[in-house]
């Protein structure tokens, strides 16, 4: 029945859901502030270590199965003053790694057919290899130079007309979103004026709205553009890598999910329609396209700090591509690594389970506990 909704009506539904999503981000920010500094300081005191923050970003994104949810939450935490931009940068990098688990899981559906599974698993895990390689190179750069946090802060303050980091900026949607957040908060405030209870209620309501709206935005946008997505991906087969990246960006912005873009690639590669190396630039474009969600969340918050961390996400993915893709000697290192792992997995399928559980669950949990 949902597929019969006319395109224009579905587009209006997406706009309404996007408005609710921004309201959810604002509620999340209000909830964090209502809990008070003692609670939030205790909650995030363990993420002062950059590696611990990285693993928190990985695990949080794996658990919610969406980098859009985790990065939007990070934007709200930074905008509310709970996290500094510097502490949040590794979390954003961790979210980039955590989001790749979805397409890796999708590839397991091809496990019964060896050749198909080899191609599909390689197409999925090249995303893992690229993001892990990018973090391995760029996280130390950030730790020792603060290059990303400083660049993003400069860019955010410049875009805001010279406003300092702790200030606000005039967002075209902030007023409308604030009005919605106040309407959503009113029923809760009617029951209690206890700050802790209000904070917890706003947190639950805000996160629920973010989950709900992003799920249905993604579903509706996929139905709106799915045929165009498949046409565009096939059109990129004989095109340059830059065209593939552009398609990855546009498709991901349209469906509000890099996981959908990369998951669409898996069956195309598995069936032999698309080569692993042809899918590679589309995956890199998806990395950039997914940063739009954090930028939208920053417009709802209206805080320079929130905009800064959202821009870190964009800058990180752009710099990672610029550092790897132009150089032929290292361009396909993630693809070669993924193909090597896929060959191992085809021989021993248990390796796939060990890989997924180890990389996306055990390593982050141990890292958080130890660090």
């Amino acid at each position: 029945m949902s597929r019969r909704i006319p395109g224009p009506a579905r587009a209006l539904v997406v706009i309404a859901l996007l408005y609710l999503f921004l309201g959810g981000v604002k509620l999340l920010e209000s909830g964090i502030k209502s809990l008070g500094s003692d609670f939030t300081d205790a909650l995030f005191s363990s993420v002062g270590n950059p590696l611990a923050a990285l693993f928190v970003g990985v695990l949080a994104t794996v658990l919610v199965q969406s980098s859009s949810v985790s990065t939007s939450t990070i934007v709200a935490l930074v905008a509310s003053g709970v996290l500094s931009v510097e502490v949040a940068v590794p979390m954003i990098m961790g979210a980039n790694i955590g989001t790749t688990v979805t397409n890796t899981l999708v590839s397991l559906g091809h496990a019964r057919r060896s050749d198909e599974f080899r191609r599909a698993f390689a197409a999925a895990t090249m995303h893992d290899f690229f993001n892990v390689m990018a973090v391995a190179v760029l996280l130390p750069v950030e730790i020792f130079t603060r290059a990303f946090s400083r660049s993003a802060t400069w860019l955010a303050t410049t875009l805001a007309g010279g406003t300092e980091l702790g200030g606000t900026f005039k967002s075209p949607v902030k007023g409308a979103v604030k009005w919605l957040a106040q309407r959503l908060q009113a029923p809760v405030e009617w029951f209690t004026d206890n700050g802790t209870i209000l904070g917890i209620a706003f947190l639950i309501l805000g996160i629920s709205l973010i989950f709900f709206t992003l799920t249905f935005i993604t579903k509706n946008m996929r139905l709106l553009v799915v045929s165009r997505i498949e046409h565009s991906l096939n059109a990129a087969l004989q095109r340059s890598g830059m065209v593939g990246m552009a398609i990855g960006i546009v498709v991901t912005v349209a469906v509000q999910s890099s996981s959908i873009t990369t998951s669409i690639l898996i069956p195309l590669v598995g069936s032999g329609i698309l080569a692993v190396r042809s899918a590679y630039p589309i995956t890199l474009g998806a990395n950039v396209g997914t940063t739009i969600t954090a930028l939208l969340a920053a417009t709802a918050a209206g805080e320079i700090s929130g905009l800064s961390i959202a821009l870190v996400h964009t800058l990180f993915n752009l710099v990672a591509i610029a550092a790897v893709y132009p150089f032929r000697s290292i361009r396909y290192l993630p693809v070669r690594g993924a193909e090597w792992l896929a060959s191992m997995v085809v021989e021993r399928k248990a390796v796939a389970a060990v890989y997924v559980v180890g990389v996306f669950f055990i390593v982050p949990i141990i890292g958080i506990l130890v660090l």
Side-chain angles (χ1 to χ4, degrees):
M1 182 66 72
S2 63
R3 291 178 179 270
R4 298 178 184 176
I5 299 175
R10 195 180 295 280
L12 289 175
V13 169
V14 169
I15 292 171
L17 288 168
L18 184 59
Y19 184 41
L20 277 174
F21 161 74
L22 296 175
V25 173
K26 196 67 180 176
L27 270 177
L28 186 60
E29 183 185 343
S30 297
I32 293 165
K33 289 180 177 178
S34 296
L35 288 172
S37 59
D38 291 342
F39 176 84
T40 51
D41 287 348
L43 186 62
F44 292 99
S45 60
S46 64
V47 296
N49 183 307
L51 289 178
L54 174 73
F55 290 130
V56 166
V58 174
L59 189 60
T61 305
V62 169
L63 292 176
V64 301
Q65 284 286 289
S66 172
S67 63
S68 297
V69 172
S70 57
T71 54
S72 298
T73 303
I74 292 168
V75 167
L77 289 169
V78 174
S80 63
V82 173
L83 292 177
S84 67
V85 174
E86 291 79 7
V87 171
V89 170
M91 289 186 180
I92 289 290
M93 294 182 179
N96 247 36
I97 294 173
T99 192
T100 65
V101 70
T102 304
N103 44 293
T104 304
L105 292 173
V106 168
S107 71
L108 300 181
H110 300 264
R112 292 184 178 180
R113 296 170 290 277
S114 295
D115 289 341
E116 189 175 314
F117 185 37
R118 180 185 289 106
R119 293 190 294 263
F121 198 80
T125 54
M126 67 182 176
H127 196 190
D128 309 1
F129 274 86
F130 178 84
N131 285 344
V132 169
M133 187 170 76
V135 169
V137 173
L138 298 179
L139 179 57
V141 172
E142 169 62 18
I143 290 172
F144 290 110
T145 69
R146 303 296 182 195
F148 288 100
S149 52
R150 288 175 178 172
S151 299
T153 299
W154 173 83
L155 184 56
T157 54
T158 301
L159 291 173
T163 306
E164 294 182 357
L165 183 60
T168 61
F169 64 95
K170 292 183 179 179
S171 166
V173 299
K174 184 178 179 180
V177 172
K178 184 177 180 180
W179 178 88
L180 174 62
Q182 289 173 341
R183 304 286 84 74
L184 294 170
Q185 289 173 18
V188 181
E189 292 173 337
W190 186 82
F191 283 102
T192 181
D193 58 359
N194 182 285
T196 301
I197 296 175
L198 282 175
I200 294 171
F202 292 161
L203 280 176
I204 293 172
L205 184 56
I207 292 173
S208 299
L209 270 177
I210 290 171
F211 266 105
F212 171 82
T213 53
L214 282 177
T215 297
F216 284 95
I217 286 171
T218 298
K219 180 180 179 181
N220 279 278
M221 287 305 296
R222 186 173 188 177
L223 291 173
L224 272 173
V225 302
V226 67
S227 62
R228 297 181 180 87
I229 290 173
E230 292 178 355
H231 174 76
S232 297
L233 293 180
N234 283 306
L237 280 169
Q238 304 301 323
R239 305 274 184 163
S240 70
M242 296 305 294
V243 172
M245 284 185 207
I247 289 174
I249 292 171
V250 171
V251 169
T252 304
V253 169
V255 299
Q256 287 286 291
S257 172
S258 61
S259 296
I260 282 188
T261 306
T262 52
S263 295
I264 287 172
L265 293 174
I266 305 308
L268 291 176
V269 175
S271 62
I273 295 174
L274 190 63
V276 175
R277 292 198 176 196
S278 297
Y280 180 50
I282 300 173
T283 298
L284 302 188
N287 262 6
V288 177
T290 195
T291 66
I292 187 67
T293 308
L295 291 169
L296 287 171
T299 65
E303 300 285 338
I304 300 297
S305 55
L307 180 59
S308 296
I309 194 60
L311 288 169
V312 164
H313 197 195
T314 305
L315 289 174
F316 170 72
N317 284 303
L318 289 173
V319 170
I321 292 171
V324 174
Y325 198 80
F327 308 102
R328 293 189 176 184
S329 59
I330 61 172
R331 178 183 299 171
Y332 292 110
L333 281 179
V335 177
R336 289 197 288 269
E339 289 174 337
W340 168 78
L341 179 61
S343 296
M344 288 183 57
V345 165
V346 168
E347 294 296 324
R348 294 182 178 84
K349 291 185 172 61
V351 173
V354 172
Y355 171 77
V356 171
V357 174
V359 170
F360 295 105
F361 292 95
I362 294 177
V363 171
I365 290 172
I366 291 175
I368 293 169
L369 293 176
V370 171
L371 297 171

